Amino acid sequence: MIDDEFSAAEITVGYDSRAYANKDLLPVWLEEVATGHEPSAATGHLLRRELERVGHRAPDLARRLKSTLEQACRAWAYMLQGIVLANAGDIVAIFHEYQLQLGWDLRDLFRTTLPCARLHTSEVSWLVGRVPAVLGLFLSERESGLIGLVLEREHTQKFDADTCALFLRNAVTLLGRPELASHVEADLSTSASELVVREESLPALGLPHSGFGTGFQDFGLTRADLLPALQAAWHGREVPVPKRARSRKE
């Protein structure tokens, strides 16, 4: 019924209510929660915004549906709050930047708010960061291997952007590609357009598998593969380049 009335009033502009909630409302709600607002406050802000939006387009409809809209928004938000509460806190994770199924508004959080570092090569763009634990739900999806791995759930407080960058430098060194360490970025304010311009000069990853895996008849890097680099970064240690790799580089 609500979808029919909204469509007749040309409010959702071709979206059904589920698509509109996922593509327009969810990014705003998650961004507010991720940047420190209480879930109830984020819900109230969205509700006021939606009532105002409907009121501008169809005042009579807004008055008739105000109670229904309030119930729908609050039920939707309670569901999201349950997911957030079940995945409270933060994690340290590594994941493919462009395979993660999030809108661009949420991706901007990795550059502007969350402590993250990036390794960008001609084949992959890996992000490592201390992110909300709820993001871990997205990492088990598969493209070419898992989209990402949860590296740490408990000792996350030390992982600022610089520590995440140290982990990535340690990881490529231990994986036999120390020359890639100079391509690790701790400052992610570089715009997407600048990254495209630099694409031709980017190095190749040069590893047998660029994805992530569980290790059980699975291809890709596992948490066990990356644990030595993670532990060294947690202690603030830079892994030295092996002599053999150093001589090849020279």
Short mmCIF file of all heavy atoms in Angstrom, two decimals, residues 49-94:
data_model
loop_
_atom_site.label_atom_id
_atom_site.label_comp_id
_atom_site.label_asym_id
_atom_site.label_seq_id
_atom_site.Cartn_x
_atom_site.Cartn_y
_atom_site.Cartn_z
N ARG A 49 13.95 13.49 8.53
CA ARG A 49 14.28 13.78 7.14
C ARG A 49 13.24 13.21 6.19
O ARG A 49 12.83 13.88 5.23
CB ARG A 49 15.66 13.20 6.81
CG ARG A 49 16.24 13.72 5.50
CD ARG A 49 17.48 12.96 5.08
NE ARG A 49 17.12 11.69 4.45
CZ ARG A 49 17.99 10.93 3.74
NH1 ARG A 49 19.23 11.33 3.63
NH2 ARG A 49 17.60 9.80 3.20
N GLU A 50 12.81 11.96 6.46
CA GLU A 50 11.85 11.33 5.57
C GLU A 50 10.48 11.99 5.65
O GLU A 50 9.81 12.18 4.64
CB GLU A 50 11.75 9.83 5.89
CG GLU A 50 12.97 9.05 5.47
CD GLU A 50 13.31 9.30 4.02
OE1 GLU A 50 12.53 8.87 3.13
OE2 GLU A 50 14.34 9.94 3.75
N LEU A 51 10.05 12.36 6.85
CA LEU A 51 8.77 13.05 6.98
C LEU A 51 8.80 14.40 6.27
O LEU A 51 7.83 14.81 5.63
CB LEU A 51 8.42 13.23 8.46
CG LEU A 51 8.01 11.95 9.20
CD1 LEU A 51 7.86 12.22 10.69
CD2 LEU A 51 6.70 11.39 8.62
N GLU A 52 9.93 15.09 6.38
CA GLU A 52 10.07 16.37 5.69
C GLU A 52 10.06 16.18 4.18
O GLU A 52 9.44 16.95 3.44
CB GLU A 52 11.36 17.05 6.14
CG GLU A 52 11.57 18.43 5.53
CD GLU A 52 12.85 19.08 6.02
OE1 GLU A 52 13.44 18.59 7.00
OE2 GLU A 52 13.27 20.07 5.40
N ARG A 53 10.75 15.13 3.72
CA ARG A 53 10.81 14.86 2.28
C ARG A 53 9.43 14.58 1.72
O ARG A 53 9.02 15.11 0.69
CB ARG A 53 11.74 13.67 2.03
CG ARG A 53 11.97 13.33 0.56
CD ARG A 53 12.93 12.16 0.43
NE ARG A 53 12.34 10.93 0.91
CZ ARG A 53 11.72 10.05 0.11
NH1 ARG A 53 11.60 10.30 -1.18
NH2 ARG A 53 11.22 8.95 0.60
N VAL A 54 8.68 13.71 2.41
CA VAL A 54 7.33 13.38 1.95
C VAL A 54 6.43 14.60 2.05
O VAL A 54 5.61 14.86 1.17
CB VAL A 54 6.76 12.21 2.77
CG1 VAL A 54 5.31 11.94 2.38
CG2 VAL A 54 7.60 10.95 2.57
N GLY A 55 6.59 15.39 3.13
CA GLY A 55 5.75 16.57 3.31
C GLY A 55 5.92 17.59 2.21
O GLY A 55 4.95 18.23 1.79
N HIS A 56 7.14 17.73 1.69
CA HIS A 56 7.38 18.68 0.60
C HIS A 56 6.68 18.23 -0.67
O HIS A 56 6.18 19.05 -1.45
CB HIS A 56 8.88 18.82 0.35
CG HIS A 56 9.58 19.68 1.35
ND1 HIS A 56 9.05 20.87 1.82
CD2 HIS A 56 10.78 19.53 1.98
CE1 HIS A 56 9.87 21.41 2.69
NE2 HIS A 56 10.93 20.61 2.81
N ARG A 57 6.71 16.92 -0.93
CA ARG A 57 6.17 16.40 -2.18
C ARG A 57 4.66 16.19 -2.14
O ARG A 57 3.97 16.39 -3.13
CB ARG A 57 6.86 15.07 -2.53
CG ARG A 57 8.35 15.17 -2.71
CD ARG A 57 8.71 15.98 -3.95
NE ARG A 57 8.21 15.34 -5.16
CZ ARG A 57 8.88 14.40 -5.83
NH1 ARG A 57 10.07 14.03 -5.41
NH2 ARG A 57 8.38 13.88 -6.92
N ALA A 58 4.17 15.71 -0.99
CA ALA A 58 2.74 15.39 -0.88
C ALA A 58 2.29 15.57 0.56
O ALA A 58 2.24 14.62 1.33
CB ALA A 58 2.49 13.95 -1.34
N PRO A 59 1.93 16.82 0.96
CA PRO A 59 1.57 17.09 2.36
C PRO A 59 0.43 16.22 2.88
O PRO A 59 0.48 15.75 4.01
CB PRO A 59 1.17 18.58 2.32
CG PRO A 59 1.88 19.13 1.13
CD PRO A 59 1.92 18.03 0.12
N ASP A 60 -0.58 16.00 2.06
CA ASP A 60 -1.71 15.18 2.50
C ASP A 60 -1.26 13.75 2.77
O ASP A 60 -1.67 13.13 3.75
CB ASP A 60 -2.82 15.17 1.46
CG ASP A 60 -3.50 16.53 1.34
OD1 ASP A 60 -3.38 17.33 2.30
OD2 ASP A 60 -4.13 16.79 0.30
N LEU A 61 -0.43 13.23 1.89
CA LEU A 61 0.09 11.87 2.07
C LEU A 61 0.93 11.78 3.34
O LEU A 61 0.86 10.80 4.08
CB LEU A 61 0.93 11.46 0.85
CG LEU A 61 1.56 10.07 0.89
CD1 LEU A 61 0.48 9.00 0.97
CD2 LEU A 61 2.45 9.85 -0.33
N ALA A 62 1.75 12.79 3.60
CA ALA A 62 2.59 12.79 4.79
C ALA A 62 1.75 12.73 6.05
O ALA A 62 2.08 12.00 7.00
CB ALA A 62 3.48 14.03 4.81
N ARG A 63 0.66 13.49 6.06
CA ARG A 63 -0.20 13.48 7.24
C ARG A 63 -0.86 12.11 7.43
O ARG A 63 -0.96 11.60 8.54
CB ARG A 63 -1.27 14.58 7.14
CG ARG A 63 -0.74 15.98 7.41
CD ARG A 63 -1.87 16.98 7.56
NE ARG A 63 -2.51 17.23 6.26
CZ ARG A 63 -2.11 18.18 5.41
NH1 ARG A 63 -1.07 18.95 5.72
NH2 ARG A 63 -2.73 18.36 4.26
N ARG A 64 -1.31 11.51 6.32
CA ARG A 64 -1.98 10.21 6.42
C ARG A 64 -1.01 9.10 6.84
O ARG A 64 -1.38 8.17 7.54
CB ARG A 64 -2.60 9.83 5.07
CG ARG A 64 -3.76 10.70 4.65
CD ARG A 64 -4.65 9.98 3.64
NE ARG A 64 -3.92 9.39 2.53
CZ ARG A 64 -3.58 10.02 1.41
NH1 ARG A 64 -3.90 11.31 1.27
NH2 ARG A 64 -2.94 9.40 0.44
N LEU A 65 0.23 9.21 6.38
CA LEU A 65 1.17 8.10 6.59
C LEU A 65 2.18 8.35 7.70
O LEU A 65 3.09 7.54 7.89
CB LEU A 65 1.94 7.82 5.28
CG LEU A 65 1.12 7.31 4.11
CD1 LEU A 65 2.02 7.04 2.93
CD2 LEU A 65 0.36 6.05 4.50
N LYS A 66 2.03 9.46 8.42
CA LYS A 66 3.03 9.79 9.42
C LYS A 66 3.24 8.65 10.42
O LYS A 66 4.36 8.23 10.68
CB LYS A 66 2.64 11.06 10.17
CG LYS A 66 3.67 11.45 11.22
CD LYS A 66 3.30 12.73 11.94
CE LYS A 66 4.36 13.06 13.01
NZ LYS A 66 4.01 14.30 13.76
N SER A 67 2.15 8.13 10.96
CA SER A 67 2.27 7.06 11.95
C SER A 67 2.88 5.80 11.34
O SER A 67 3.73 5.15 11.94
CB SER A 67 0.89 6.73 12.53
OG SER A 67 0.96 5.64 13.41
N THR A 68 2.46 5.47 10.09
CA THR A 68 3.00 4.28 9.43
C THR A 68 4.48 4.44 9.13
O THR A 68 5.28 3.51 9.30
CB THR A 68 2.22 4.00 8.13
OG1 THR A 68 0.84 3.90 8.41
CG2 THR A 68 2.70 2.72 7.47
N LEU A 69 4.84 5.65 8.69
CA LEU A 69 6.25 5.91 8.42
C LEU A 69 7.09 5.79 9.68
O LEU A 69 8.19 5.22 9.67
CB LEU A 69 6.42 7.31 7.81
CG LEU A 69 6.20 7.46 6.31
CD1 LEU A 69 6.24 8.93 5.95
CD2 LEU A 69 7.25 6.68 5.54
N GLU A 70 6.58 6.33 10.77
CA GLU A 70 7.31 6.23 12.04
C GLU A 70 7.51 4.78 12.44
O GLU A 70 8.61 4.38 12.82
CB GLU A 70 6.54 6.99 13.14
CG GLU A 70 6.59 8.50 12.99
CD GLU A 70 5.75 9.20 14.05
OE1 GLU A 70 4.94 8.51 14.71
OE2 GLU A 70 5.94 10.42 14.23
N GLN A 71 6.47 3.98 12.34
CA GLN A 71 6.58 2.57 12.71
C GLN A 71 7.56 1.84 11.80
O GLN A 71 8.37 1.04 12.27
CB GLN A 71 5.20 1.91 12.63
CG GLN A 71 4.21 2.41 13.67
CD GLN A 71 2.83 1.78 13.50
OE1 GLN A 71 2.70 0.73 12.87
NE2 GLN A 71 1.81 2.42 14.05
N ALA A 72 7.48 2.12 10.48
CA ALA A 72 8.37 1.43 9.54
C ALA A 72 9.83 1.80 9.78
O ALA A 72 10.71 0.94 9.81
CB ALA A 72 7.96 1.76 8.11
N CYS A 73 10.08 3.11 9.97
CA CYS A 73 11.46 3.56 10.20
C CYS A 73 12.02 3.00 11.50
O CYS A 73 13.17 2.56 11.55
CB CYS A 73 11.52 5.09 10.23
SG CYS A 73 11.52 5.87 8.60
N ARG A 74 11.21 2.99 12.53
CA ARG A 74 11.70 2.51 13.82
C ARG A 74 11.92 0.99 13.80
O ARG A 74 12.89 0.49 14.36
CB ARG A 74 10.74 2.91 14.94
CG ARG A 74 10.68 4.41 15.14
CD ARG A 74 10.03 4.82 16.43
NE ARG A 74 9.84 6.27 16.48
CZ ARG A 74 10.81 7.14 16.71
NH1 ARG A 74 12.04 6.71 16.92
NH2 ARG A 74 10.56 8.44 16.73
N ALA A 75 11.03 0.25 13.14
CA ALA A 75 11.22 -1.20 13.04
C ALA A 75 12.49 -1.52 12.26
O ALA A 75 13.28 -2.41 12.64
CB ALA A 75 10.01 -1.84 12.37
N TRP A 76 12.69 -0.80 11.17
CA TRP A 76 13.90 -0.98 10.35
C TRP A 76 15.15 -0.66 11.16
O TRP A 76 16.12 -1.40 11.15
CB TRP A 76 13.77 -0.07 9.13
CG TRP A 76 14.94 -0.02 8.21
CD1 TRP A 76 15.29 -0.96 7.27
CD2 TRP A 76 15.91 1.02 8.11
NE1 TRP A 76 16.42 -0.55 6.60
CE2 TRP A 76 16.81 0.66 7.09
CE3 TRP A 76 16.09 2.23 8.78
CZ2 TRP A 76 17.89 1.46 6.73
CZ3 TRP A 76 17.16 3.03 8.43
CH2 TRP A 76 18.04 2.65 7.42
N ALA A 77 15.09 0.44 11.92
CA ALA A 77 16.25 0.85 12.71
C ALA A 77 16.50 -0.11 13.87
O ALA A 77 17.66 -0.39 14.21
CB ALA A 77 16.05 2.26 13.24
N TYR A 78 15.45 -0.64 14.50
CA TYR A 78 15.65 -1.60 15.58
C TYR A 78 16.37 -2.84 15.06
O TYR A 78 17.21 -3.42 15.75
CB TYR A 78 14.30 -2.00 16.20
CG TYR A 78 13.68 -0.93 17.05
CD1 TYR A 78 12.29 -0.80 17.14
CD2 TYR A 78 14.46 -0.03 17.78
CE1 TYR A 78 11.72 0.19 17.91
CE2 TYR A 78 13.89 0.97 18.55
CZ TYR A 78 12.52 1.07 18.61
OH TYR A 78 11.95 2.05 19.37
N MET A 79 16.01 -3.27 13.85
CA MET A 79 16.69 -4.41 13.26
C MET A 79 18.17 -4.12 13.07
O MET A 79 19.04 -4.93 13.41
CB MET A 79 16.05 -4.77 11.91
CG MET A 79 16.73 -5.92 11.19
SD MET A 79 16.10 -6.13 9.51
CE MET A 79 16.72 -4.64 8.72
N LEU A 80 18.49 -2.92 12.56
CA LEU A 80 19.88 -2.55 12.36
C LEU A 80 20.61 -2.42 13.69
O LEU A 80 21.78 -2.84 13.81
CB LEU A 80 19.97 -1.22 11.60
CG LEU A 80 19.55 -1.26 10.13
CD1 LEU A 80 19.59 0.15 9.55
CD2 LEU A 80 20.42 -2.19 9.33
N GLN A 81 19.94 -1.86 14.69
CA GLN A 81 20.57 -1.74 16.00
C GLN A 81 20.89 -3.11 16.57
O GLN A 81 21.93 -3.31 17.21
CB GLN A 81 19.65 -0.98 16.96
CG GLN A 81 19.55 0.50 16.66
CD GLN A 81 18.62 1.21 17.63
OE1 GLN A 81 18.78 1.06 18.82
NE2 GLN A 81 17.66 1.95 17.11
N GLY A 82 20.01 -4.10 16.34
CA GLY A 82 20.28 -5.46 16.80
C GLY A 82 21.53 -6.03 16.16
O GLY A 82 22.35 -6.67 16.83
N ILE A 83 21.69 -5.76 14.86
CA ILE A 83 22.89 -6.23 14.16
C ILE A 83 24.13 -5.54 14.72
O ILE A 83 25.16 -6.18 14.96
CB ILE A 83 22.76 -5.98 12.65
CG1 ILE A 83 21.63 -6.84 12.06
CG2 ILE A 83 24.07 -6.28 11.94
CD1 ILE A 83 21.31 -6.52 10.61
N VAL A 84 24.03 -4.23 14.96
CA VAL A 84 25.16 -3.48 15.49
C VAL A 84 25.52 -3.97 16.89
O VAL A 84 26.70 -4.18 17.22
CB VAL A 84 24.85 -1.97 15.50
CG1 VAL A 84 25.92 -1.21 16.28
CG2 VAL A 84 24.76 -1.44 14.07
N LEU A 85 24.51 -4.16 17.75
CA LEU A 85 24.78 -4.60 19.13
C LEU A 85 25.37 -6.01 19.16
O LEU A 85 26.19 -6.33 20.03
CB LEU A 85 23.49 -4.55 19.95
CG LEU A 85 22.96 -3.14 20.25
CD1 LEU A 85 21.60 -3.22 20.92
CD2 LEU A 85 23.95 -2.39 21.13
N ALA A 86 24.95 -6.86 18.21
CA ALA A 86 25.50 -8.21 18.16
C ALA A 86 26.93 -8.22 17.64
O ALA A 86 27.63 -9.22 17.78
CB ALA A 86 24.62 -9.09 17.28
N ASN A 87 27.34 -7.12 17.04
CA ASN A 87 28.71 -6.99 16.52
C ASN A 87 29.31 -5.70 17.04
O ASN A 87 29.79 -4.86 16.27
CB ASN A 87 28.70 -7.00 14.99
CG ASN A 87 28.23 -8.32 14.41
OD1 ASN A 87 29.00 -9.23 14.20
ND2 ASN A 87 26.93 -8.43 14.18
N ALA A 88 29.28 -5.54 18.35
CA ALA A 88 29.75 -4.30 18.96
C ALA A 88 31.27 -4.23 18.92
O ALA A 88 31.97 -5.22 18.76
CB ALA A 88 29.25 -4.22 20.40
N GLY A 89 31.78 -3.01 19.09
CA GLY A 89 33.23 -2.81 19.14
C GLY A 89 33.83 -2.68 17.77
O GLY A 89 33.16 -2.37 16.79
N ASP A 90 35.14 -2.92 17.70
CA ASP A 90 35.83 -2.81 16.41
C ASP A 90 36.73 -4.01 16.20
O ASP A 90 36.96 -4.82 17.10
CB ASP A 90 36.63 -1.50 16.31
CG ASP A 90 37.57 -1.30 17.49
OD1 ASP A 90 37.95 -2.29 18.14
OD2 ASP A 90 37.92 -0.15 17.79
N ILE A 91 37.20 -4.15 14.98
CA ILE A 91 38.10 -5.22 14.58
C ILE A 91 39.19 -4.61 13.72
O ILE A 91 39.07 -3.49 13.23
CB ILE A 91 37.36 -6.31 13.76
CG1 ILE A 91 36.69 -5.69 12.51
CG2 ILE A 91 36.37 -7.07 14.61
CD1 ILE A 91 36.04 -6.70 11.58
N VAL A 92 40.28 -5.35 13.56
CA VAL A 92 41.28 -5.02 12.55
C VAL A 92 41.09 -6.00 11.41
O VAL A 92 41.06 -7.22 11.63
CB VAL A 92 42.71 -5.11 13.11
CG1 VAL A 92 43.74 -4.82 12.02
CG2 VAL A 92 42.89 -4.15 14.29
N ALA A 93 40.92 -5.50 10.21
CA ALA A 93 40.61 -6.35 9.07
C ALA A 93 41.42 -5.93 7.85
O ALA A 93 41.84 -4.78 7.73
CB ALA A 93 39.12 -6.29 8.74
N ILE A 94 41.62 -6.89 6.95
CA ILE A 94 42.21 -6.62 5.63
C ILE A 94 41.20 -7.06 4.59
O ILE A 94 40.56 -8.10 4.75
CB ILE A 94 43.56 -7.35 5.45
CG1 ILE A 94 44.19 -7.00 4.09
CG2 ILE A 94 43.41 -8.87 5.61
CD1 ILE A 94 45.62 -7.50 3.93
#
